[in-house]
Amino acid sequence: MTPPLDDILDRVYVVALPMRVRFRGITVREVALIDGPEGWGEFGAFGEYEAPEAAHWLAAALESAYCEPPQPRRDRIPINATVPAVEAERVPEVLARFPGARTAKVKVAEPGQTLADDVARVEAVRALIPTVRVDANGGWTLDQAVEAAKALGALEYLEQPCATVAELAELRRRIDTPVAADESIRKAADPLAVTKAGAADIAVLKVAPLGGISSLVTIADQIGIPVVVSSAIDSAVGIATGLRAAAALPELQHACGLGTGSLFVDDIAETPAPEDGYLPVGPVAPDPARLHALAASPQRRNWWIDRVRTCHRLLADR
């Protein structure tokens, strides 16, 4: 049952977190945090998402804030280093923020960059970390993805190399590198369609766009391929939720994309640094002083409050 809107709005804080580098086209990450009776929830649907899609993110935030979390099966989660689409020379600086990481995810197919840029970045990462995966966010055509798979060398997997399920399925037939699906799961009416079409070897699942931990765990149980739990450029609250989701899964074969907190100049809580490539599982409560210092402008707060109202209406109607 969806909690009453007035109660939710009484619990909302909106923050703007400055980022170290441009990531996914942004340099400031805004999220609405909800101080609920069972913990903190995070509503951070990206600004371009329309209300029907953003409502899933609010559902996830409300689940975290108002519902007891599942029992964990493990107390720490292996994480990958995350390397934005930076110049190859900056790779050591980025990787230094992920002590002990044995896997790195590298952003590729960035608008305005070339495959040569991607190759240079991946090679710089590979010189320091043994296992490399790349994420194209659907930015390649089928032929470009085939070319990139050859040029980039041995990879753990290509994440969302092409935009459509049909392209992913065809790509799997044309290359030996495993293919992971992200947007084709979290933006799909049927998140299981990728495996029905034989379009993915690995499923990248994110708590917020899937509607919460319970939904993610259900999809992981039904999808029939290994799962990687990842973040959506979450604050410390969202990362803690992702870690709880990963801890609840019966199996976890791959490092998870939950180390993105290092992308922020400042966050709403002081959190542990990765130790030997792992992050601990546990609740996170924002520091009141940081909530104040990182508060979004009144205009942006009002924008988010209006968005909560709209998405809440959709959830209540469902």
Side-chain angles (χ1 to χ4, degrees):
M1 185 175 182
T2 305
L5 177 62
D6 288 347
D7 186 66
I8 297 169
L9 295 181
D10 285 343
R11 302 172 179 272
V12 169
Y13 298 79
V14 179
V15 295
L17 308 179
M19 303 185 68
R20 297 181 189 276
V21 295
R22 181 177 295 274
F23 194 85
R24 205 187 171 280
I26 62 174
T27 55
V28 176
R29 179 70 167 118
E30 290 183 350
V31 298
L33 302 172
I34 302 171
D35 182 8
E38 291 291 341
W40 286 80
E42 178 170 324
F43 174 45
F46 295 109
E48 69 270 21
Y49 289 4
E50 299 293 335
E53 185 173 0
H56 294 289
W57 297 60
L58 181 60
L62 296 179
E63 181 189 67
S64 295
Y66 287 86
C67 301
E68 187 176 346
Q71 287 298 310
R73 297 171 182 263
R74 52 190 67 81
D75 60 7
R76 63 177 194 158
I77 304 297
I79 62 160
N80 63 252
T82 299
V83 180
V86 297
E87 299 83 1
E89 309 84 70
R90 295 192 62 189
V91 163
E93 163 201 339
V94 173
L95 292 181
R97 302 183 198 125
F98 299 90
R102 299 172 181 85
T103 301
K105 180 169 87 167
V106 183
K107 286 293 181 180
V108 293
E110 183 81 357
Q113 295 187 2
T114 67
L115 179 56
D117 295 324
D118 295 337
V119 171
R121 187 180 312 112
V122 167
E123 288 300 329
V125 172
R126 193 176 278 127
L128 297 171
I129 289 188
T131 302
V132 180
R133 56 181 69 154
V134 302
D135 183 7
N137 290 116
W140 288 323
T141 65
L142 179 58
D143 287 341
Q144 286 172 334
V146 172
E147 180 187 5
K150 294 177 182 177
L152 293 169
L155 296 170
E156 184 184 22
Y157 59 73
L158 291 170
E159 181 175 333
Q160 199 67 45
C162 304
T164 70
V165 170
E167 288 173 315
L168 297 183
E170 177 61 23
L171 181 64
R172 284 188 73 220
R173 291 189 282 269
R174 293 175 59 178
I175 65 173
D176 294 327
T177 306
V179 172
D182 174 9
E183 287 88 345
S184 290
I185 295 172
R186 62 182 167 89
K187 288 179 172 285
D190 177 8
L192 307 181
V194 289
T195 49
K196 295 174 184 175
D201 302 282
I202 294 156
V204 178
L205 304 184
K206 299 176 179 177
V207 173
L210 293 176
I213 293 177
S214 57
S215 177
L216 183 150
V217 170
T218 297
I219 291 169
D221 180 59
Q222 297 175 346
I223 204 161
I225 54 177
V227 164
V228 171
V229 179
S230 192
S231 84
I233 321 182
D234 302 323
S235 80
V237 166
I239 292 294
T241 303
L243 291 167
R244 281 176 160 174
L249 296 177
E251 293 186 35
L252 199 60
Q253 299 180 23
H254 298 272
C256 289
L258 296 169
T260 54
S262 67
L263 297 174
F264 297 125
V265 175
D266 200 0
D267 206 340
I268 46 81
E270 190 70 40
T271 55
E275 184 174 338
D276 196 28
Y278 287 78
L279 282 175
V281 177
V284 165
D287 177 347
R290 294 184 183 217
L291 284 178
H292 175 75
L294 296 168
S297 69
Q299 293 84 357
R300 295 304 300 164
R301 174 179 168 80
N302 289 338
W303 186 90
W304 279 95
I305 292 296
D306 288 343
R307 200 178 197 199
V308 170
R309 292 180 188 277
T310 301
C311 292
H312 183 273
R313 190 179 310 117
L314 290 177
L315 294 178
D317 289 344
R318 292 174 188 172

